[in-house]
Amino acid sequence: MADMEMRAVLAEQLKQMMQQDPKVVVIDADLAKASGTWGLRKDFPDRAIDVGIAEQNMVSIASGMASYGYKPFITSFTPFVSRRVCDQITLSSCYAKQPITIVGTDPGICAEINGGTHMGMEDIGVLRSIADIVIFEPVDTVQLKQALPIIAGLGKTVYIRLFRKKIDDVFGEDYKFDLFKADTIKEGKDVTIFCTGIMVQETVKAMDLLQKEGIDAEIINVHTIKPIDKETIVKSVAKTGCAVTAENHNIMGGLFSAVSEVLAMSMPTPVLPIGVPDTFGEVGKMPYLKQIYKMTAEDIVAKAKEVMKLKK
Amino acid sequence: MQREEICKIIREDTCKCIASIGVGHIGGCLSIVEILVSLYYKHMNIDPTNPHMAGRDRLVCSKGHAGPAVYATLANKGYFDKAELLTLNHSGTNLPSHCDMNKTIGIDMTTGSLGQGFSCAVGIALASKLDKDGAYIYTVIGDGESQEGQIWEAGMFAAQAKLDNLIAFTDYNKMQIDGNTDDVNSLEPLNKKWESFGWNVVVIDGHDFDQIDDAIANAKACKGKPTMIIANTIKGKGVKYIEDKGYGNHSMPMLWEDVEKYIEEIRRA
Ligand SMILES: Cc1ncc(C[n+]2csc(CCOP(=O)(O)OP(=O)(O)O)c2C)c(N)n1
Ligand SMILES: [Mg+2]
């Protein structure tokens, strides 16, 4: 387990960026403590602000500030900065080309006992169909730390889908992050498992189980779902001939869809999804939710075996 | 039983309900107990044995995170077994953090994304008018929630549609998660805002039964306008330790040993 919560890394990086760049601003909508950004107000009372519970307003305010050369980071729970604010992200930010960074916390089942109303199962799908947006789902503190300054300097509207608490690090200190390049965590030849967010740790767990079963899986972390790294996906599947996707999101519209789109166009291949099976969320702790939606390491193994049978 | 005594039981059961999962939105639950008890025990035309009764009065708890207080009230009214209160947020429960009309018997609308329940209440009031069933539609919104633009979109239209069957409460506890509403994004002057939106406005002490009764009578007597009852309340009302946490009481750990102390205090009051 990494020592720091993901939101603490977010805050630490934002603090550094705010010190270095007077144009970086942080806007919350009454969830600053949940997002970890609360403490920034002490150091930057003018640039770390709270607009109250008004997410649509927040997105367009941020876009207005962007038109003045500011680099706004805005935060809330995933559903309230995705599905609730679709039109504001689309028009004020993306269409008007006014870049902002949107941090949505507690994606999918991570909302746990906040329950179905607070579970963003569709945020990637909803946002992915907005032209020109970048969608990034970090895996661990190492990746998040490296990603934030790159995102701030990108000049694009970026959605960061953030698990906010403590999670095992997958990457070591020698890791070199590239926002547009998927990471091959393990090479293999029998099946590719494309995974993102908290499902990367789950897939790493599955890795040992697969090995015991004599399956040599290639494991690739697709941290950026849009624009997706087509080259890495096609190259891997050319070798393995089949794939499983693993995501903490509805299997419609998210990683499964994005990977399938790439393969349908360049290399039709069997792909099977692990994720939330086109249903709404409900209250529960993550282990329970992973079980009911069949998102455990064992489910990944079973899915890998199933898809290998579909290979030509 | 007097409403004072019923409120004690509802406060107790709300604490127990939250303790069953160990953490929850206690502050905003305790601030609306007198309102809930007045509605369910005195004013609403309802039948707990027939929860889907046509033409019944309805309550939309737009600040959906106050679910546990509503559940405690519904259970005590007999909508479902009180034992179920101890399943809050447990796997497979019928009682999730936020109100869910498809899970909990007696809940009239699903809420949890702030601002939406209030618009739903406007829609329900509109439908009841079309049906001419004479129902009153009650709704409770938060003060922090009132920062959502959707509240004011709904408010403007409710006045336009002359929804005098809509009786709304603002739980004006003056607190949200990130601070006091006045420090985050002030609503003042709140009564003038609602008046200027074309509403009949009554300002009351939200813990005073007579004032709640009078406000509802006033609302029913006012024709052609929806009514906003601005209820000045205390977030965490009834348990000093919780009240003293200020806005820190929005969501708090709730252990059984705490509950024992809280219950003692609630009963003594
Ligand atoms: C659209 C939306 N944004 C954010 C939240 C998260 N949230 C839940 S409760 C809350 C604060 C609510 O404050 P208030 O309305 O004053 O409620 P009360 O004080 O009565 O508990 C927030 C920000 C939410 N549920 N919905
Ligand atoms: Mg409040």
Side-chain angles (χ1 to χ4, degrees):
Chain A
M1 187 79 69
D3 303 334
M4 279 174 89
E5 290 193 329
M6 295 285 270
R7 62 181 155 187
V9 172
L10 171 73
E12 189 185 73
Q13 288 298 298
L14 283 172
K15 185 172 173 175
Q16 259 182 38
M17 294 190 288
M18 290 171 95
Q19 278 161 350
Q20 288 158 9
D21 184 348
K23 293 293 186 192
V24 175
V25 295
V26 174
I27 311 178
D28 295 297
D30 203 33
L31 283 170
K33 282 186 222 146
S35 305
T37 45
W38 173 262
L40 296 168
R41 295 171 189 196
K42 208 166 57 200
D43 298 307
F44 309 98
D46 298 333
R47 284 193 286 142
I49 61 172
D50 200 313
V51 295
I53 311 170
E55 297 80 6
Q56 297 169 322
N57 195 28
M58 172 167 70
V59 170
S60 296
I61 286 176
S63 304
M65 292 189 80
S67 79
Y68 233 81
Y70 281 85
K71 297 172 186 167
F73 280 70
I74 69 174
T75 87
S76 184
F77 288 145
T78 43
F80 310 136
V81 279
S82 59
R83 64 185 187 220
R84 187 159 184 130
V85 295
C86 275
D87 196 37
Q88 284 78 9
I89 294 180
T90 306
L91 286 190
S92 304
S93 181
C94 294
Y95 184 74
K97 298 197 194 308
Q98 299 309 320
I100 64 175
T101 303
I102 303 149
V103 181
T105 67
D106 278 4
I109 62 170
C110 306
E112 293 201 308
I113 62 169
N114 263 328
T117 54
H118 284 51
M119 281 180 188
M121 303 296 202
E122 63 294 280
D123 52 330
I124 300 177
V126 151
L127 298 178
R128 203 164 66 85
S129 54
I130 300 173
D132 216 29
I133 197 169
V134 174
I135 300 174
F136 166 61
E137 182 164 18
V139 172
D140 65 6
T141 59
V142 180
Q143 194 177 68
L144 179 64
K145 209 172 188 161
Q146 293 189 33
L148 286 165
I150 295 170
I151 287 168
L154 194 65
K156 289 240 176 211
T157 297
V158 181
Y159 178 71
I160 304 179
R161 193 174 198 255
L162 186 72
F163 176 75
R164 64 190 168 105
K165 298 186 179 157
K166 280 190 184 172
I167 193 156
D168 287 339
D169 278 335
V170 170
F171 297 107
E173 287 311 316
D174 55 343
Y175 174 65
K176 268 303 284 141
F177 176 73
D178 181 337
L179 182 60
F180 300 113
K181 205 94 206 108
D183 294 305
T184 303
I185 292 172
K186 174 191 168 292
E187 293 189 1
K189 58 177 187 342
D190 296 334
V191 54
T192 310
I193 304 174
F194 296 107
C195 47
T196 189
I198 60 163
M199 293 308 287
V200 178
Q201 280 82 354
E202 202 65 33
T203 305
V204 168
K205 262 196 253 167
M207 191 160 79
D208 298 335
L209 302 175
L210 286 161
Q211 241 149 13
K212 275 192 204 123
E213 304 236 8
I215 297 170
D216 184 16
E218 179 142 302
I219 296 176
I220 296 181
N221 167 221
V222 184
H223 50 68
T224 300
I225 296 127
K226 184 177 182 175
I228 200 160
D229 178 3
K230 296 187 182 117
E231 203 186 305
T232 301
I233 292 173
V234 171
K235 210 171 124 201
S236 172
V237 171
K239 179 171 62 171
T240 60
C242 65
V244 170
T245 56
E247 64 195 305
N248 168 29
H249 185 274
N250 191 332
I251 55 171
M252 296 177 89
L255 182 67
F256 175 56
S257 300
V259 168
S260 299
E261 286 161 18
V262 170
L263 293 173
M265 286 191 279
S266 332
M267 185 181 291
T269 312
V271 188
L272 291 177
I274 290 280
V276 180
D278 196 22
T279 184
F280 291 112
E282 62 177 67
V283 286
K285 299 289 180 134
M286 293 214 294
Y288 166 75
L289 295 168
K290 276 184 188 168
Q291 226 163 43
I292 61 169
Y293 298 134
K294 299 199 177 346
M295 292 164 60
T296 66
E298 290 75 19
D299 295 313
I300 296 172
V301 173
K303 203 59 93 176
K305 287 187 187 163
E306 198 181 328
V307 82
M308 281 168 62
K309 288 194 200 125
L310 300 176
K311 271 207 256 190
K312 297 226 178 63
Chain B
M1 209 190 306
Q2 292 292 312
R3 273 184 276 171
E4 281 84 355
E5 293 307 309
I6 300 169
C7 285
K8 288 182 185 177
I9 296 170
I10 302 299
R11 287 204 158 84
E12 212 177 296
D13 286 345
T14 302
C15 289
K16 288 180 184 163
C17 180
I18 292 178
S20 74
I21 190 74
V23 61
H25 299 112
I26 186 66
C29 281
L30 294 180
S31 57
I32 59 168
V33 172
E34 281 76 13
I35 295 170
L36 291 175
V37 167
S38 296
L39 291 177
Y40 280 96
Y41 282 82
K42 179 157 187 174
H43 294 284
M44 283 170 76
N45 170 32
I46 45 169
D47 176 3
T49 64
N50 184 10
H52 298 291
M53 180 174 77
R56 70 187 185 278
D57 289 352
R58 299 180 194 224
L59 171 76
V60 178
C61 185
S62 189
K63 37 170 276 185
H65 57 281
V70 185
Y71 306 153
T73 310
L74 292 174
N76 277 286
K77 278 298 285 185
Y79 281 87
F80 52 84
D81 192 342
K82 273 182 75 162
E84 229 184 282
L85 291 175
L86 300 185
T87 67
L88 183 78
N89 288 333
H90 292 221
S91 309
T93 186
N94 292 319
L95 305 182
S97 267
H98 299 84
C99 298
D100 189 327
M101 67 191 295
N102 298 306
K103 289 218 156 81
T104 314
I105 298 169
I107 292 289
D108 289 315
M109 189 65 217
T110 296
T111 53
S113 183
L114 296 168
Q116 296 188 26
F118 191 54
S119 293
C120 295
V122 169
I124 293 168
L126 209 51
S128 164
K129 283 263 180 194
L130 284 174
D131 272 10
K132 299 192 177 60
D133 61 11
Y136 281 99
I137 310 307
Y138 296 92
T139 180
V140 182
I141 62 176
D143 44 10
E145 180 180 18
S146 301
Q147 293 160 348
E148 287 284 4
Q150 183 164 5
I151 292 291
W152 302 97
E153 295 175 24
M156 207 186 302
F157 185 72
Q160 173 74 20
K162 302 189 170 47
L163 296 177
D164 50 17
N165 58 343
L166 179 64
I167 303 178
F169 290 83
T170 298
D171 177 14
Y172 203 7
N173 56 32
K174 321 223 174 26
M175 289 171 197
Q176 53 194 108
I177 300 180
D178 282 353
N180 298 322
T181 44
D182 274 346
D183 299 326
V184 177
N185 196 2
S186 177
L187 304 172
E188 283 302 315
L190 188 57
N191 56 338
K192 294 212 175 99
K193 282 196 174 74
W194 283 108
E195 277 162 19
S196 73
F197 270 63
W199 284 55
N200 173 41
V201 180
V202 192
V203 181
I204 62 163
D205 172 347
H207 302 301
D208 183 312
F209 298 112
D210 292 338
Q211 292 190 34
I212 294 172
D213 292 345
D214 288 349
I216 291 173
N218 172 310
K220 290 186 174 175
C222 175
K223 296 297 162 205
K225 281 181 179 189
T227 293
M228 176 57 74
I229 301 170
I230 299 177
N232 287 303
T233 58
I234 294 167
K235 200 159 175 171
K237 172 75 178 176
V239 180
K240 186 161 183 313
Y241 177 77
I242 300 176
E243 286 180 22
D244 287 349
K245 288 255 160 185
Y247 61 82
N249 74 20
H250 182 78
S251 174
M252 275 173 63
M254 175 80 68
L255 307 175
W256 282 109
E257 54 258 43
D258 303 332
V259 173
E260 276 167 36
K261 279 181 268 160
Y262 299 163
I263 288 177
E264 206 182 298
E265 183 184 338
I266 291 166
R267 287 190 184 160
R268 244 189 295 117

